[in-house]
Amino acid sequence: MRKTSFVLALLLAGQLTVLGQQTETVGKSPWGSDDEIGSLNLMSNYTRFEVLSQIKSGKTYDLSVDYFVGMPSFHSLGDPGYQYWLTHTPNGTAVDNPNGLGKAMNRKVSYTGDAISMYTHMGTHIDALNHFGLNGKIWNGFTPEKHLGDKGWKKTGAETIPPIIARGVMIDVKSSKGIFPENYRITVNDLQDALKKQRLKLQPGDFVVMRTGQAEFYEDANHYLDNYPGISLDAVKWLIEEQGTMLLGADNLSFEAFPPEREDNWVPVHTYLLAEKGVMFIEQMYLEELAKDEVYEFAFIAASLKLKGASGSPLRPLAIPIKSE
Amino acid sequence: MRKTSFVLALLLAGQLTVLGQQTETVGKSPWGSDDEIGSLNLMSNYTRFEVLSQIKSGKTYDLSVDYFVGMPSFHSLGDPGYQYWLTHTPNGTAVDNPNGLGKAMNRKVSYTGDAISMYTHMGTHIDALNHFGLNGKIWNGFTPEKHLGDKGWKKTGAETIPPIIARGVMIDVKSSKGIFPENYRITVNDLQDALKKQRLKLQPGDFVVMRTGQAEFYEDANHYLDNYPGISLDAVKWLIEEQGTMLLGADNLSFEAFPPEREDNWVPVHTYLLAEKGVMFIEQMYLEELAKDEVYEFAFIAASLKLKGASGSPLRPLAIPIKSE
Amino acid sequence: MRKTSFVLALLLAGQLTVLGQQTETVGKSPWGSDDEIGSLNLMSNYTRFEVLSQIKSGKTYDLSVDYFVGMPSFHSLGDPGYQYWLTHTPNGTAVDNPNGLGKAMNRKVSYTGDAISMYTHMGTHIDALNHFGLNGKIWNGFTPEKHLGDKGWKKTGAETIPPIIARGVMIDVKSSKGIFPENYRITVNDLQDALKKQRLKLQPGDFVVMRTGQAEFYEDANHYLDNYPGISLDAVKWLIEEQGTMLLGADNLSFEAFPPEREDNWVPVHTYLLAEKGVMFIEQMYLEELAKDEVYEFAFIAASLKLKGASGSPLRPLAIPIKSE
Amino acid sequence: MRKTSFVLALLLAGQLTVLGQQTETVGKSPWGSDDEIGSLNLMSNYTRFEVLSQIKSGKTYDLSVDYFVGMPSFHSLGDPGYQYWLTHTPNGTAVDNPNGLGKAMNRKVSYTGDAISMYTHMGTHIDALNHFGLNGKIWNGFTPEKHLGDKGWKKTGAETIPPIIARGVMIDVKSSKGIFPENYRITVNDLQDALKKQRLKLQPGDFVVMRTGQAEFYEDANHYLDNYPGISLDAVKWLIEEQGTMLLGADNLSFEAFPPEREDNWVPVHTYLLAEKGVMFIEQMYLEELAKDEVYEFAFIAASLKLKGASGSPLRPLAIPIKSE
């Protein structure tokens, strides 16, 4: 019953169109001309409760990396890396006396404050639908001329992304396949093989996360950024169009691998998911603990910061094991 | 059984000492000289599962405010407000050609990227234990000389804060008490009255959040920052020392009110909780939806960003209604 | 001889058109369709040497304010204020060991490093011609569609502003007129009266700076920003169209006063100068020492930072007294 | 007469001590216990006028590089690179309406605003005396405990650096010596050979700038940062202790070369100049035009931004040819 209604919704959404389409154009949302969240419309109180009620333990897996100066960053196009700085320190406060209360007070009350700055696509984060569009439009036809101000998009900004509670499935391609060639593109077969070994089937509405093992190198930015594997366009189309996946994730920098598969598009997986299909995804996740414990099925709970107008947002997702159906 | 073991842990932790102590000094953790998370040690797989298994619906309450340029900020001591800026836009990418792929490609693939900067104590956020110390030390005796680098604290930084899953109780003092005088300090009686009306009892290990109603004004920073009510020192001591509360929260700027209750301490509630007791708290929460639906008891799920060394971190907490015991 | 050629150049530049024109439209540069610096084209080796050869002393006046956290800022539209932070400190370096050379080395070599961020129109700074345009174009017809990338303008950016060496004249309206009414607009008569008292005549090609006395309050941002006097549209037209002034300056926040003189333009002096006439100006100068010493005529030497693509740039101008002609 | 008095001042300053000293310790200023500018005390109205009166042309050489995203930076210790971003654009202002004046007004008045952030030691900049100290003290014995607040040093901050007007001499080691081996350290002989070819003698009080030719690669950060030549400790001691140079400069990243000459000090030239001798220097200058025109002697005019408390500051220095004595 439940799966049937999902599939219907997806069909309406045009998610299950014929594999191999070649024209690239922004999708029109089946959830209406005001829709800003695409496939996340598939969530409901019902779907959330279904997964929450299957939780079988209090063991919680933290799927986020740390934020630190020097962490990996998509910096090749000039984006700012992560910066952290102290705005107040115990000794500095005593020297500066910023509150005017004097040295004795500021020696007693030892104040530490700090600030950060960062590109929004750093660390474990979700891509909003406006991150990549096609031919001057984003998902559902919104345009920069009308909807892009100096403080970001008036439509599909990160503040519109709802908290996510869904069944999560990790496909541990790393464990299944071993070492990847440089810049390897993970295929449909790779996903199917891993799922078979894990004895798991995907369901419409799932959060599906692919493990490449790359997060093992997160502390060493050069290594992490170096020729990492990513998903192929076919594999991502299989997930969306045949499996009805609601949300995707991976543990590498950019989900897809470089160089791109299409000559006429430098990020074809990004534009396919965000602009054509209205499907978001989470990058730079930390999956090593899940893999070690062979936890492949879980309640996935994640809530990104509501950065108004933003093209992405950091979050710290959790996985809690559930009973298999 | 469960409550007894909590109380024992708290007694060991020195949390239930005699009310009214006057000396202010950093606490020594009962969880050992390496402890960096204080009362959050009270969480376990057992306590997390207990609350998760009581969830009775898929309705999810989002307890976070939005982040936007001009949002309220503790700026009186010079801390930077929230900034957002675009690093890539569809037209700008076509003009700049940052990837070297030329105008046709950059017109087709419409790229939006952005960056943020902010004081770490903005929007809905948790204070780490290093945020305020006493006499040159922080919780558990860590010192700036040994543990404070230019990229933050080596101890008790925000990256050490675990994901939080606990029973949450909102004390809706606003609904119970109506309009507050300027800079009002909420008393033990105020909390008790509200709880009585809500027919709820606190339990050791709870996340307790106090609603002042201030979040209603969040979009108007001047109003939000103006003479808001906060918790009194007595009330916070009652919560920690008599009720065994694990984690606190509120919907105002700084949890406590200004001017401070003690002449010799400009943030006595902060130093009491963070430095003396090892108890963290979440500020600037959004509680209006919970209040409207009269949801006072819930599974509280929150995971702050792991900002290495930081004195605080943003998060987007969720509340999901649970069955009353 | 020299004056004649200046006037000719200005006539060609359309600078001496009929006073009181009402249509507002971007100017077309008489220096060609590639011109990016407008009236600064009037400078030459000859004009520079003329003023340098008149220098009569080594006494140097520093015409810049300090940059500090909390300094005045045009923040009403959300622009970021000045921020300063330490990236390395002697103790922090010893704790962090960022160079991997160990505690002994980092205790010996006591490193201090720091960083800043700021809106480009803070402190003593020059406005580039792209700062304000009219009807979607800037000076000389350049457009955002073709020339505005995500890293600023490809045309008229601050990096194109040449070092400035010119005869400087301070018109001390403050000394001449005394106290100003709130938001007072300085008139042609005010300028003429002050010049008469100073027994000075303007010459084509001058840098003309107007003293309002506002810089006295620079350390107190609220006072500095409060209802300050500025120049009127008539006065600025008199300077450009009748006196042939090459570059302007003042000691207040925004040169012009608010509210604006035209209902259909919120910064009519800015658009008149930058977009219509191609004349830049320097704001937030410090003129108190010049005034105290009654130095009204000087060699003006200023070189703004070459911030690529920027709409403004900080500089620290100098004045050195010259022999009167 | 003039030279004699310089030498006397330098002797008093301890600048002419025996070559080859090995103990490294912060200097005590001969200009008193409050002195914050070291050798720049050698400037006076007399010295400034002397050089200004020798100016022989209006041709002005701009000795600064541009600031742009991706420019070279000393980033190996985590310092933030240069960032530039737009805060207002013509279209964005129309979409956002930040001033509340509506679309018609914001379409008419085409607003561009922008902001920057940067490590203070980027582009052409001067190092303040607090940038490097020895054993927990900086020049003249100031200490972090007393003088280093969270907003920088209370002593010797960049705001204390006076405008600089001095005789400038470029030593074109690049032209004299040709290609340098990797990480080459320029010797006393190299300087003397070049000066001989240039038929120039140094004078006490000079600004002396060394050309390595590295600025030719400034647009290509990787090349610029790669194994560049720098000055040797002997050469810098010769300049300060035997020639009485007041201020130094070069066109490479860090004046000195890496790896360092002393095993017990990773920046021995920096600490020698700043901490021991109270001599500042300017890095990352652009000298290619001077070299092309063979201008070796000039009036040097430079005024760094008065960044309060900062360890360095950007500036755009000028050179104007003077008559040889």
Side-chain angles (χ1 to χ4, degrees), chain B residues 39-101:
Chain B
S39 61
L40 292 185
N41 281 292
L42 294 171
M43 267 193 303
S44 69
N45 286 351
Y46 180 84
T47 65
R48 282 187 289 260
F49 185 60
E50 190 174 37
V51 68
L52 290 169
S53 62
Q54 289 172 321
I55 285 174
K56 69 178 182 191
S57 116
K59 181 146 175 62
T60 305
Y61 291 85
D62 178 349
L63 308 186
S64 171
V65 295
D66 282 6
Y67 285 78
F68 56 93
V69 175
M71 66 188 284
S73 177
F74 190 70
H75 61 295
S76 56
L77 304 189
D79 290 291
Y82 178 77
Q83 289 294 331
Y84 166 94
W85 65 96
L86 288 154
T87 60
H88 303 284
T89 62
N91 191 65
T93 307
V95 172
D96 279 344
N97 188 22
N99 52 19
L101 299 173

Side-chain angles (χ1 to χ4, degrees), chain A residues 24 64 108 114 120 311, chain B residues 24 64 108 114 120 135 306:
Chain A
E24 291 177 290
S64 172
K108 176 181 175 182
D114 34 25
T120 58
S311 70
Chain B
E24 292 176 290
S64 171
K108 176 182 175 183
D114 33 25
T120 57
N135 301 307
K306 291 189 283 184

Side-chain angles (χ1 to χ4, degrees), chain C residues 122-172:
Chain C
M122 293 194 72
T124 306
H125 70 277
I126 189 167
D127 282 9
L129 294 182
N130 62 49
H131 185 35
F132 279 101
L134 283 162
N135 301 307
K137 292 182 180 174
I138 59 167
W139 167 252
N140 217 5
F142 302 117
T143 64
E145 290 72 21
K146 278 199 190 162
H147 305 291
L148 180 55
D150 295 318
K151 308 305 171 202
W153 283 89
K154 299 293 184 191
K155 295 288 179 182
T156 78
E159 81 281 11
T160 65
I161 305 174
I164 294 153
I165 296 176
R167 179 188 180 236
V169 172
M170 178 173 76
I171 309 181
D172 190 345

Side-chain angles (χ1 to χ4, degrees), chain A residues 24 44-46 48-49 52-53 55-69 74 76-80 82-91 93 98-99 101 105-121 124 130-138 144 148-153 158-165 219 262-267 271 286 301-312 314-318 320, chain B residues 24 44-46 48-49 52-53 55-69 74 76-80 82-91 93 98-99 101 105-121 124 130-138 144 148-153 158-165 219 262-267 271 286 301-312 314-318 320:
Chain A
E24 291 177 290
S44 68
N45 286 351
Y46 180 84
R48 282 188 288 260
F49 185 60
L52 290 168
S53 62
I55 285 174
K56 68 178 183 191
S57 113
K59 181 145 175 62
T60 306
Y61 291 85
D62 178 350
L63 308 187
S64 172
V65 296
D66 283 6
Y67 285 77
F68 55 93
V69 176
F74 189 71
S76 55
L77 304 189
D79 291 290
Y82 178 78
Q83 288 293 331
Y84 166 96
W85 64 97
L86 289 154
T87 60
H88 303 283
T89 63
N91 191 65
T93 308
N99 52 19
L101 299 172
M105 175 69 93
N106 285 315
R107 285 267 173 239
K108 176 181 175 182
V109 178
S110 302
Y111 184 11
T112 298
D114 34 25
I116 57 166
S117 72
M118 54 188 273
Y119 183 45
T120 58
H121 299 266
T124 307
N130 61 50
H131 185 35
F132 278 100
L134 284 163
N135 301 306
K137 293 182 181 176
I138 58 167
L148 180 55
D150 294 318
K151 307 304 170 203
W153 282 88
E159 80 281 11
T160 66
I161 304 174
I164 293 153
I165 297 177
E219 305 284 315
R262 288 181 72 126
E263 281 197 7
D264 62 344
N265 189 327
W266 67 281
V267 281
T271 56
Y286 185 77
I301 304 178
S304 52
L305 297 185
K306 290 189 284 184
L307 308 178
K308 226 172 191 167
S311 70
L315 42 58
R316 184 179 180 188
L318 306 178
I320 310 174
Chain B
E24 292 176 290
S44 69
N45 286 351
Y46 180 84
R48 282 187 289 260
F49 185 60
L52 290 169
S53 62
I55 285 174
K56 69 178 182 191
S57 116
K59 181 146 175 62
T60 305
Y61 291 85
D62 178 349
L63 308 186
S64 171
V65 295
D66 282 6
Y67 285 78
F68 56 93
V69 175
F74 190 70
S76 56
L77 304 189
D79 290 291
Y82 178 77
Q83 289 294 331
Y84 166 94
W85 65 96
L86 288 154
T87 60
H88 303 284
T89 62
N91 191 65
T93 307
N99 52 19
L101 299 173
M105 175 70 93
N106 285 315
R107 284 268 172 237
K108 176 182 175 183
V109 177
S110 302
Y111 183 12
T112 298
D114 33 25
I116 57 166
S117 73
M118 55 186 273
Y119 183 46
T120 57
H121 298 265
T124 306
N130 62 50
H131 185 35
F132 279 101
L134 284 162
N135 301 307
K137 291 181 181 176
I138 59 166
L148 180 55
D150 294 318
K151 307 304 171 203
W153 282 89
E159 82 280 11
T160 66
I161 304 175
I164 294 154
I165 297 177
E219 304 285 314
R262 290 182 71 128
E263 281 194 9
D264 62 343
N265 189 327
W266 68 281
V267 281
T271 56
Y286 185 76
I301 304 178
S304 51
L305 299 185
K306 291 189 283 184
L307 309 177
K308 226 171 191 168
S311 70
L315 42 59
R316 184 179 180 188
L318 306 179
I320 309 174

Side-chain angles (χ1 to χ4, degrees), chain D residues 274-319:
Chain D
L274 301 172
E276 294 188 58
K277 293 300 174 188
V279 176
M280 301 181 216
F281 47 97
I282 301 177
E283 293 164 317
Q284 301 179 40
M285 299 182 73
Y286 185 76
L287 307 170
E288 301 310 287
E289 293 301 313
L290 280 185
K292 208 179 61 184
D293 290 358
E294 300 184 0
V295 174
Y296 302 121
E297 198 182 2
F298 43 84
F300 180 74
I301 305 179
S304 52
L305 298 186
K306 291 190 283 183
L307 308 177
K308 224 171 192 169
S311 70
S313 179
L315 42 58
R316 184 180 179 185
L318 306 178

Side-chain angles (χ1 to χ4, degrees), chain C residues 59-322:
Chain C
K59 179 143 175 68
T60 305
Y61 292 85
D62 179 351
L63 307 187
S64 171
V65 295
D66 283 7
Y67 285 77
F68 55 94
V69 176
M71 66 189 285
S73 177
F74 190 70
H75 61 294
S76 56
L77 303 189
D79 289 291
Y82 178 77
Q83 289 293 331
Y84 167 95
W85 65 94
L86 288 154
T87 59
H88 302 284
T89 63
N91 191 65
T93 308
V95 171
D96 279 344
N97 188 24
N99 52 18
L101 300 172
K103 196 153 292 199
M105 175 70 93
N106 284 315
R107 284 270 172 237
K108 175 180 175 184
V109 177
S110 302
Y111 183 11
T112 298
D114 34 25
I116 57 166
S117 72
M118 55 186 273
Y119 183 46
T120 57
H121 298 266
M122 293 194 72
T124 306
H125 70 277
I126 189 167
D127 282 9
L129 294 182
N130 62 49
H131 185 35
F132 279 101
L134 283 162
N135 301 307
K137 292 182 180 174
I138 59 167
W139 167 252
N140 217 5
F142 302 117
T143 64
E145 290 72 21
K146 278 199 190 162
H147 305 291
L148 180 55
D150 295 318
K151 308 305 171 202
W153 283 89
K154 299 293 184 191
K155 295 288 179 182
T156 78
E159 81 281 11
T160 65
I161 305 174
I164 294 153
I165 296 176
R167 179 188 180 236
V169 172
M170 178 173 76
I171 309 181
D172 190 345
V173 189
K174 174 70 183 172
S175 293
S176 165
K177 203 173 164 67
I179 293 169
F180 297 105
E182 286 197 352
N183 304 313
Y184 181 72
R185 285 194 201 99
I186 288 158
T187 66
V188 179
N189 276 346
D190 293 336
L191 298 182
Q192 288 172 335
D193 284 354
L195 280 167
K196 210 170 176 181
K197 287 179 196 162
Q198 294 173 195
R199 288 177 212 181
L200 265 181
K201 289 203 171 151
L202 300 181
Q203 295 171 11
D206 277 349
F207 164 72
V208 176
V209 58
M210 174 181 77
R211 179 174 175 255
T212 68
Q214 197 69 5
E216 189 189 330
F217 314 119
Y218 205 82
E219 304 284 314
D220 176 359
N222 286 336
H223 192 161
Y224 185 78
L225 297 169
D226 186 37
N227 295 309
Y228 51 86
I231 202 159
S232 69
L233 207 39
D234 273 359
V236 86
K237 286 180 179 182
W238 176 78
L239 286 165
I240 300 309
E241 298 177 23
E242 300 199 39
Q243 302 300 313
T245 300
M246 178 180 74
L247 180 69
L248 289 161
D251 58 356
N252 61 353
L253 183 78
S254 61
F255 199 23
E256 63 187 300
F258 290 100
E261 280 173 89
R262 290 181 72 126
E263 281 196 6
D264 62 344
N265 189 327
W266 68 281
V267 281
V269 171
H270 277 66
T271 56
Y272 169 76
L273 287 170
L274 301 172
E276 293 188 57
K277 293 302 173 187
V279 176
M280 301 181 216
F281 47 96
I282 301 177
E283 294 165 315
Q284 302 179 40
M285 299 182 72
Y286 185 76
L287 306 170
E288 301 309 288
E289 293 300 315
L290 280 185
K292 208 179 64 185
D293 290 359
E294 300 183 358
V295 173
Y296 301 121
E297 199 183 0
F298 44 83
F300 179 75
I301 304 178
S304 51
L305 299 185
K306 291 190 283 184
L307 309 177
K308 225 172 192 167
S311 70
S313 178
L315 43 57
R316 184 180 180 186
L318 306 179
I320 310 174
I322 57 175

Side-chain angles (χ1 to χ4, degrees), chain B residues 12 19 32 73 78 124 158 165 168 188 205 218 235-236 241 253 266 278 280 282:
Chain B
L12 288 168
L19 201 67
S73 177
T124 306
I165 297 177
V188 178
Y218 203 81
V236 86
E241 299 178 21
L253 183 78
W266 68 281
M280 300 180 216
I282 300 176

